[in-house]
Amino acid sequence: MLSIIKRTKFASSQTHHSSTILSLPDQSLTHKIMEHSKVDTKLQASYDDQQKRVLDSSLDSRGEIPVRDRTGAWRAALFIIANEFSERLSYFGIATSLVVYLTTILHQDLKMAVKNANYWSGVTTLMPLLGGFVADAYLGRYATVLLATIIYLMGLILLTLSWFIPGLKACNQEICVEPRKAHEVAFFIAIYLISIGTGGHKPSLESFGADQFEDSHPEERMMKMSYFNWWSTGLCAGILTAVTVIVYIEDRIGWGVAGTILTLVMATSLLIFLMGRPFYRYRAASGSPLTPMLQVFVAAISKRHLPCPIDSSLLHELSREEYTKGRFLSRTSNLKFLDKAAIIENLGSENAMAEKESPWKLATVTKVEELKLLINMIPIWFFTLAFGICATQSTTFFIKQAIIMDRHIGHNFIVPPSSMFALVALSMIIFLTLYEKLLVPLLRRVTGNERGISILQRIGTGMVFSLITMIIAALVERKRLDYTKQHHMTMSVIWLAPQNMVIGIADALTLVGLQEYFYDQVPDSMRSLGIAFYLSVIGAASFVNNFLITVTDRLAEKISRKNLFGKDLNSSRLDRFYWTLAALTAVNICFFVIVAKRYTYKSVQSSLAVADGGDDVEAASVHNTSKYT
């Protein structure tokens, strides 16, 4: 009996011991599950917060983290696009009629008028480099837009007054043989005030609009890709109104009345822009973006004797807690010399050294990559100048051609010469709508690229259309000269329609592509400057265009003893100038393709979720690579 009891106790103890052994791993597993559950809860809370709040360092009008459902996206962008509509209405109401004004009111000859128009266009599109820098470094984009709009309004008011104040009028008589000097001075001061206003307005407003969409939020990222297309559609609507309604008023009613309308529209748009203030997302100015670039250069040169490590972990980078502004960039394989700026020389005390080291001696990988981005942009910028030269013809020589052609539609209506630019704007609007609604979804399925085709592919395709434009323009101008000589009468202005429509398609592809490229590929702290870089393509192209006019004219005089450009188009050989531009563009496209194939797009490390879960949880990240650009 005793042995039975002992065996029973032993069996019971064995069972208890076994259950104890089995319970230990169960308790450990339960503990692990609970820990992971806490981590999942933190991750879910972080994700929910990211959906409700905009966590990209922007602020709302009260200086707080913006609530996604109340700020930004299309509810804010529509106010901004409306403001751009009025600015482009004013700008093109002046720009497309400038050659006409200079030749008919100020009595300048063709060559001088085109040069003055190109100088003004060049200054107007280069001024954004200064305006964009001020916006990014000191004032912020919102404040820069307000200040620039006020300066713009001052220019429009002076331009309008020069037609109503007796002492500033061009002439007191209906037929003006020679305009007053006071009117000429007031006119040029006014249009260059508009240049200064455009310099701050254009880069700041467009980048401010793009800031309303968060890059790391999937839905808003897709919206931003559409934003540049719809921005350009609103822009073209302003242009279309300018070159039809405003130009007609200038031609038939009076320049002073047109100036009054432009001033009132610009003032109204300022009020509309202010009404959107509660809905905007704001970014604080971050100081000079050029200083960190210079620091990388200095640090890399000071460490030129060190070997460049293959392992990226040996290079200095801030932690996610320390890096509060902008996004991390991944290391790329080009321009490896600059990577030396991020080498930590004393690896034994990495953290201590990194904290004490001057930014002139040690840079982060992100700062190095930002400098690489700017250097990589230089050849892209340079090889888009040929496109810019072709684009400037639509507001200079194309308009001048329209002046001397038969512009009658029916028996009574005469098309204002500047209104021919309406075909450019209309072509651009139609193509952008088709591109956004039909081509992009189709191309996404074919290529797997969320943009349909890459940004540089879009730019290059537009350059091919600009080449076609110059060929068409050369053939049409040659036919016009022959027709005038044979029939002693002018050819219909309808012949200019094809070249204006094709350059509109080129603008829709290349100009919009350049906007997106320079905004997307510059460092986050330089986005106003990025838009300024895009505008500077047209500005620099205007000056290069003037240089080409002078050079080709002198070469023609030396070779044939006859100038390429006479006092009017009938005594000029504009067709040969167009052929020159076509040849230049064809060669340029070849170089652009080579550069584009070797280009390395921005590679962004975007944190999706970060939890403090020890070794069990790591920060999840994705890379924005060339697949999407």
Side-chain angles (χ1 to χ4, degrees), residues 334-375:
N334 61 325
L335 299 171
K336 290 183 179 179
F337 170 78
L338 295 175
D339 291 342
K340 295 184 178 183
I343 295 176
I344 302 171
E345 294 188 83
N346 191 343
L347 290 174
S349 54
E350 178 181 333
N351 293 332
M353 286 298 295
E355 289 177 5
K356 294 178 183 178
E357 200 79 62
S358 164
W360 295 94
K361 295 182 178 179
L362 180 65
T364 63
V365 171
T366 295
K367 292 300 178 186
V368 170
E369 291 302 319
E370 287 179 345
L371 178 56
K372 288 182 182 181
L373 288 174
L374 293 180
I375 294 173

Side-chain angles (χ1 to χ4, degrees), residues 188-461:
F188 279 107
I189 290 174
I191 63 172
Y192 277 99
L193 276 174
I194 291 169
S195 291
I196 295 170
T198 303
H201 189 281
K202 198 78 175 79
S204 305
L205 188 69
E206 187 168 356
S207 56
F208 184 60
D211 287 344
Q212 306 308 309
F213 304 91
E214 186 184 3
D215 283 313
S216 58
H217 190 268
E219 290 181 10
E220 292 195 9
R221 176 178 166 81
M222 296 296 288
M223 290 179 190
K224 180 180 279 191
M225 292 177 192
S226 296
Y227 163 76
F228 288 101
N229 288 328
W230 291 118
W231 165 274
S232 297
T233 302
L235 176 152
C236 289
I239 296 171
L240 188 61
T241 308
V243 298
T244 51
V245 178
I246 300 301
V247 165
Y248 182 82
I249 293 170
E250 289 170 344
D251 190 55
R252 294 304 180 89
I253 301 175
W255 297 88
V257 176
T260 303
I261 294 170
L262 294 179
T263 303
L264 291 174
V265 170
M266 197 67 188
T268 304
S269 76
L270 177 59
L271 294 177
I272 292 172
F273 181 71
L274 290 171
M275 286 170 57
R277 189 173 182 274
F279 304 102
Y280 298 144
R281 297 172 187 171
Y282 304 85
R283 302 262 182 128
S286 55
S288 173
L290 302 180
T291 302
M293 307 294 111
L294 185 59
Q295 288 172 341
V296 172
F297 264 125
V298 172
I301 292 170
S302 67
K303 297 176 184 177
R304 62 189 179 277
H305 60 282
L306 297 178
C308 191
I310 298 174
D311 186 0
S312 296
S313 64
L314 300 177
L315 301 177
H316 174 51
E317 184 59 279
L318 297 176
S319 65
R320 294 188 180 275
E321 290 75 19
E322 294 173 302
Y323 200 76
T324 56
K325 290 185 178 181
R327 297 171 292 172
F328 283 107
L329 299 182
S330 301
R331 185 187 181 189
T332 55
S333 59
N334 61 325
L335 299 171
K336 290 183 179 179
F337 170 78
L338 295 175
D339 291 342
K340 295 184 178 183
I343 295 176
I344 302 171
E345 294 188 83
N346 191 343
L347 290 174
S349 54
E350 178 181 333
N351 293 332
M353 286 298 295
E355 289 177 5
K356 294 178 183 178
E357 200 79 62
S358 164
W360 295 94
K361 295 182 178 179
L362 180 65
T364 63
V365 171
T366 295
K367 292 300 178 186
V368 170
E369 291 302 319
E370 287 179 345
L371 178 56
K372 288 182 182 181
L373 288 174
L374 293 180
I375 294 173
N376 286 338
M377 284 179 180
I378 294 172
I380 298 294
W381 182 92
F382 182 79
F383 288 115
T384 52
L385 285 178
F387 168 82
I389 295 168
C390 296
T392 59
Q393 308 310 313
S394 60
T395 55
T396 52
F397 282 127
F398 286 10
I399 303 295
K400 192 61 181 174
Q401 284 177 287
I403 292 174
I404 62 171
M405 296 178 78
D406 181 10
R407 293 178 278 113
H408 285 84
I409 295 180
H411 295 290
N412 298 320
F413 184 74
I414 300 175
V415 179
S418 299
S419 292
M420 289 303 296
F421 194 81
L423 293 174
V424 179
L426 191 61
S427 173
M428 202 170 170
I429 291 172
I430 294 170
F431 184 81
L432 281 172
T433 305
L434 293 174
Y435 184 82
E436 176 69 23
K437 295 298 182 181
L438 296 178
L439 288 177
V440 170
L442 178 63
L443 290 169
R444 277 176 185 159
R445 289 195 291 269
V446 174
T447 65
N449 188 315
E450 61 185 354
R451 283 188 171 92
I453 56 176
S454 72
I455 300 176
L456 293 181
Q457 286 173 338
R458 177 175 183 164
I459 293 169
T461 305

Side-chain angles (χ1 to χ4, degrees), residues 388-547:
I389 295 168
C390 296
T392 59
Q393 308 310 313
S394 60
T395 55
T396 52
F397 282 127
F398 286 10
I399 303 295
K400 192 61 181 174
Q401 284 177 287
I403 292 174
I404 62 171
M405 296 178 78
D406 181 10
R407 293 178 278 113
H408 285 84
I409 295 180
H411 295 290
N412 298 320
F413 184 74
I414 300 175
V415 179
S418 299
S419 292
M420 289 303 296
F421 194 81
L423 293 174
V424 179
L426 191 61
S427 173
M428 202 170 170
I429 291 172
I430 294 170
F431 184 81
L432 281 172
T433 305
L434 293 174
Y435 184 82
E436 176 69 23
K437 295 298 182 181
L438 296 178
L439 288 177
V440 170
L442 178 63
L443 290 169
R444 277 176 185 159
R445 289 195 291 269
V446 174
T447 65
N449 188 315
E450 61 185 354
R451 283 188 171 92
I453 56 176
S454 72
I455 300 176
L456 293 181
Q457 286 173 338
R458 177 175 183 164
I459 293 169
T461 305
M463 292 170 72
V464 173
F465 277 96
S466 70
L467 170 62
I468 296 169
T469 301
M470 289 299 101
I471 294 171
I472 294 171
L475 295 172
V476 169
E477 176 60 11
R478 181 62 190 174
K479 181 174 180 61
R480 188 195 68 80
L481 288 172
D482 292 341
Y483 186 89
T484 303
K485 287 178 182 178
Q486 291 173 10
H487 300 280
H488 303 287
M489 58 186 295
T490 57
M491 197 166 70
S492 173
V493 76
I494 299 299
W495 282 90
L496 295 181
Q499 65 199 56
N500 279 285
M501 295 178 72
V502 175
I503 197 65
I505 296 173
D507 287 350
L509 289 166
T510 298
L511 285 185
V512 179
L514 285 171
Q515 291 172 33
E516 193 171 358
Y517 168 76
F518 282 112
Y519 179 87
D520 186 72
Q521 293 298 302
V522 294
D524 291 352
S525 61
M526 296 178 65
R527 284 186 158 168
S528 295
L529 267 174
I531 298 298
F533 291 152
Y534 136 69
L535 293 168
S536 70
V537 170
I538 305 300
S542 296
F543 288 109
V544 176
N545 187 46
N546 274 354
F547 174 74

Side-chain angles (χ1 to χ4, degrees), residues 118-152:
N118 280 330
Y119 283 137
W120 180 73
S121 175
V123 170
T124 304
T125 45
L126 286 177
M127 279 299 295
L129 290 172
L130 177 61
F133 177 80
V134 170
D136 286 338
Y138 303 110
L139 296 182
R141 287 155 198 163
Y142 178 78
T144 304
V145 171
L146 290 182
L147 178 61
T149 305
I150 292 169
I151 296 172
Y152 205 119

